[in-house]
């Protein structure tokens, strides 16, 4: 037992990026004197520590962590110790460069009062955890606008701001959007370039002037941004590199290529931006189901009010075809409700008076009146959106690797470009050729394709999961999920439906099934126990009407003794029969389920077998999991016979029964040591310790509040098929992310080698930059269209 004087605290391991390193840290921390318990969850980056004196062991813990993985910081979780961290979310308007976003994040993290800052380019949001926010906004604004001019840092108001901000530019008395200005620049500049270069419509005397005019139109914005960034000390951004490359082409008299490269760079950049915005819109359209307004009923009058102004207890009118705006209860009406936007369930569910109804679902035919039970900020539509946004901000290890790689990649390529221009040029004397080759290197030296496409791939995976009612709590969760080797499940509510059903009615000689079921139902009708309810329901399904006994006595844990119009009836366990000396000749224990025995006037009448039933999709889901090469196991507190029967019916490999919660945690550790990384699937309420202890914890919660908080993955609809679906999405997302990395680096390497071999082309270099970025973006979002 832990020392009574031990204090439990939770710490966050910032910058932890290696699961194997986390295991090493945990092992060494456990060996420290004064530490009773230590557990590191790689997915949540949390260290749970029980120690007599935290201040004494904390320096040693910090030393252990940094020695195993440099850069790891050990800080108390919000609310722990003397630190008082707060978190705020900001919107980065006009943010257009993923690589710039990574630089901003790094610079903001270096501010002394900031504990952690994360920029999610896919949602254009900045999440900051700090002790003090006084004066922080101007500092962050200066950092962001210094890296990418025009970026505005604004506090998020209320729920997430998802609509892309479109910068407007005044032109005389007209107001033009940034996108419209870009289109004008591309069209006019492109027409001038094509007319001069390909159509021969420009006289030779004006040829160079037209090319310069085209360059100013196409590259003016890029050059101005490069100058601003240069003055801010930001050398290695894409604007600066493109400016140097194209102006360098002018210097060596490659006028056509200077303009052409700028033209195709701007075109590629434009379509890349459109592809990113479209993918962002597709994902957010799937998860942002928040209503703008609701139909409030005041007497017989319908008032349209903002959804945020609706209060608990308000009555709302939901017409056919409308989306359910807020979580509530049906007080009038009857309709089929499409729950697929929330749970992924394709079959509509009938809702009528007294039924709970979840926001985000669609009312398909009848009119409903609902009483609001949760305001907008607490309703399911907002919680789903918050979950997706928070997940997007949780970066996987590959994303962190790419961010670190990008810091080295651009300076490395620039150095190679300088050496390419100077060394071979000096040796061969062919300065123009080698300077041209060096300029091609500058064009491909921006890592935007990598920095943009990898997080977008995980964001798309998170969005794809939400369409099936699967909520991932972050890219790191998906990364861990694709590497699991065993899926461990709870029984009740996970593999089984969690409701008792009469399986068999076994009458004794001289009695019949109907008589036994009727007598049992008469007695059980007075009880609210799930077993009693299942017997009453079975009787009603056969057209029987339970008759309340004249008097009764309920014996806790054993059953009921009652006086009925037909005499004394006893209904319950074998122990109850023994108490009243009832001979149960011919009774045999069932291999699976719970038996309810019945006696009338001292005579044994028979028994009923009641059991939980496995879910309809359990067998197929287990087959899919095993087809992936994963081991399946079940941990339950139920009896051995019942557990074995369920496992055999579902096809599960290993079973451990009669387990207490702490036993489940021990068994999970044994399975991890035997198979490797494990996923545990439970109900999110009873299995919280095991969910936290697993490499990936998943909750079968049907959207329950506790389930949303307890697990790394939440299955909004409690169906087993969600397990292989989630693993498939995680694996596909991981593959797509690596495809982008390999493709982007491969193309850039080929272009560089071709340049060194004397086949340099700035046109090819433009493709290796913006063209590859656009292809990677398109590749990242294809998971949204794949069936799972």
């Amino acid at each position: 037992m832990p020392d009574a004087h031990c204090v439990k605290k939770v710490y966050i391991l910032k910058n932890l990026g290696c699961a194997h390193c986390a295991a090493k840290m945990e092992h060494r921390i456990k060996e420290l004197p004064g530490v009773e318990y230590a557990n590191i969850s790689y997915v949540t980056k949390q260290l749970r520590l029980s120690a007599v004196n935290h201040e004494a062991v904390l320096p040693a813990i910090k030393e252990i962590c940094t020695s195993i993985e440099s850069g790891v910081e050990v800080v108390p979780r919000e609310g722990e110790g003397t630190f008082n961290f707060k978190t705020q979310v900001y919107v980065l308007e006009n943010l257009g460069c993923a690589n710039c976003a990574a630089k901003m994040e790094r610079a903001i993290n270096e501010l002394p009062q900031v504990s952690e800052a994360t920029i999610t380019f896919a949602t254009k949001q900045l999440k900051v955890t700090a002790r003090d926010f006084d004066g922080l906004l101007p500092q962050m604004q200066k950092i962001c606008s210094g890296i990418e001019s025009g970026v505005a840092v604004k506090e998020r108001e209320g729920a997430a701001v998802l609509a892309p901000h479109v910068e407007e530019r005044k032109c005389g008395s007209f107001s033009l959007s940034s996108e419209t200005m870009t289109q004008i620049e591309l069209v006019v500049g492109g027409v001038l370039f094509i007319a001069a270069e390909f159509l021969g419509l420009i006289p030779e005397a004006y040829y160079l002037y037209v090319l310069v005019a085209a360059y100013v139109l196409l590259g003016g914005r890029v050059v101005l941004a490069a100058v601003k960034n240069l003055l801010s000390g930001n050398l290695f951004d894409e604007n600066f590199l493109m400016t140097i490359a194209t102006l360098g082409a002018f210097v060596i008299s490659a006028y056509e290529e200077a303009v052409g490269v700028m033209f195709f760079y701007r075109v590629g950049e434009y379509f890349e931006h459109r592809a990113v915005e479209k993918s962002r819109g597709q994902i957010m359209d799937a998860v942002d189901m928040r209503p703008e307004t609701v139909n409030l009923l005041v007497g017989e009058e319908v008032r349209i009010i903002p959804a945020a102004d609706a209060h608990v207890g308000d009555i709302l009118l939901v017409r056919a075809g409308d989306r359910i705006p807020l979580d509530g209860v049906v007080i009038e009406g009857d309709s089929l409700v499409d729950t697929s936007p929330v749970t992924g369930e394709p079959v509509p569910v009938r809702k009528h008076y007294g039924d709970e109804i979840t926001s985000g679902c669609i009312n398909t035919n009848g009119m409903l009146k609902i009483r609001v039970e949760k305001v907008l900020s607490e309703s399911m539509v907002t919680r789903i959106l918050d979950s997706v946004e928070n997940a997007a901000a949780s970066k996987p290890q590959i994303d962190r690797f790419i961010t670190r790689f990008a810091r080295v990649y651009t300076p490395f390529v620039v150095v190679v470009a300088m050496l390419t221009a100077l060394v071979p040029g000096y040796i061969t004397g062919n300065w123009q050729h080698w300077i041209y080759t060096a300029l091609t290197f500058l064009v491909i030296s921006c890592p935007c394709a990598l920095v943009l496409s990898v997080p977008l791939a995980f964001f798309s995976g998170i969005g794809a999961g939400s369409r099936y009612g699967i909520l991932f709590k972050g890219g790191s969760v998906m990364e861990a999920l694709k590497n699991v080797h065993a899926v461990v499940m709870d029984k009740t509510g996970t593999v089984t439906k969690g409701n008792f059903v009469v399986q068999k009615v076994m009458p004794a000689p001289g009695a019949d099934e109907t008589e036994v079921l009727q007598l049992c139902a008469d007695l059980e009708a007075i009880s609210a126990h799930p077993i009693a309810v299942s017997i009453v329901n079975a009787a009603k399904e056969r057209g029987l009407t339970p008759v309340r006994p004249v008097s009764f006595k309920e014996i806790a844990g054993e059953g009921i003794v009652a006086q009925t119009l037909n005499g004394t009836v006893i209904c319950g366990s074998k122990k109850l029969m023994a108490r009243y000396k009832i001979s149960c000749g011919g009774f045999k224990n069932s291999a699976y389920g719970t038996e309810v025995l019945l006696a009338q006037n001292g005579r044994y009448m028979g028994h009923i077998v009641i059991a939980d039933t496995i879910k309809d999709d359990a067998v197929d889901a287990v087959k899919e999991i095993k087809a992936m090469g994963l081991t399946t196991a079940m941990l339950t507190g139920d009896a051995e016979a019942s557990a074995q029967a369920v496992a055999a019916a579902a096809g599960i490999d290993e079973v451990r029964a009669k387990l207490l919660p702490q036993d489940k945690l021990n068994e999970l550790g044994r399975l991890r040591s035997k198979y490797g990384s494990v996923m545990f699937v439970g109900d999110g309420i009873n299995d919280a310790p095991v969910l936290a202890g697993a490499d990936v914890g998943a909750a079968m919660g049907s959207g329950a509040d506790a389930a949303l908080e307890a697990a790394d993955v939440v299955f909004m609809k409690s169906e087993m098929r969600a397990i292989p679906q989630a693993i498939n999405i995680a694996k596909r997302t991981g593959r797509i992310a690596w495809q982008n990395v390999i493709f982007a680096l491969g193309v850039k390497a080929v272009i560089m080698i071709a340049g060194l071999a004397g086949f340099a082309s700035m046109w090819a270099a433009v493709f290796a930059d913006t063209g590859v970025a656009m292809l990677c973006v398109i590749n990242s979002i294809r998971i949204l269209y794949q069936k799972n």
Side-chain angles (χ1 to χ4, degrees), residues 117-134:
T118 304
I119 293 178
T120 307
F121 181 73
T123 58
K124 297 190 177 180
Q125 290 187 355
L126 163 62
K127 187 175 183 179
V128 180
T129 301
R131 288 192 288 265
D132 181 13
F133 283 86
D134 289 344

Side-chain angles (χ1 to χ4, degrees), residues 460-506:
S460 299
I462 291 165
S466 70
R467 295 170 68 173
Y468 292 94
I470 300 169
L471 295 184
F472 297 102
K473 294 281 185 78
S476 57
V477 170
M478 300 182 77
E479 200 167 47
L481 182 56
K482 72 182 180 67
N483 295 321
V484 297
H485 295 95
V487 177
V488 184
M489 295 159 276
D490 180 39
K491 182 178 82 70
T492 306
T494 301
V495 182
T496 64
K497 295 178 179 178
N499 58 337
F500 289 97
V501 176
V502 171
Q503 303 291 326
K504 295 178 183 177
V505 179
M506 307 291 290

Side-chain angles (χ1 to χ4, degrees), residues 197-210:
E197 182 63 23
F198 298 105
L199 301 180
L201 299 178
I202 307 299
E204 187 174 348
Y206 300 100
Y207 176 77
L208 184 57
Y209 297 110
V210 171

Side-chain angles (χ1 to χ4, degrees), residues 86-106:
K86 294 181 181 178
T87 300
Q88 287 187 204
V89 179
Y90 300 85
V91 178
L92 302 181
E93 295 184 348
N94 306 322
L95 178 66
C97 171
N99 192 35
C100 298
K103 294 179 181 179
M104 295 173 194
E105 178 181 288
R106 187 165 64 249

Side-chain angles (χ1 to χ4, degrees), residues 151-166:
V151 172
V153 184
K154 295 189 177 180
E155 288 189 26
R156 187 177 71 172
E157 297 179 3
V161 180
L162 297 170
H165 176 83
V166 179

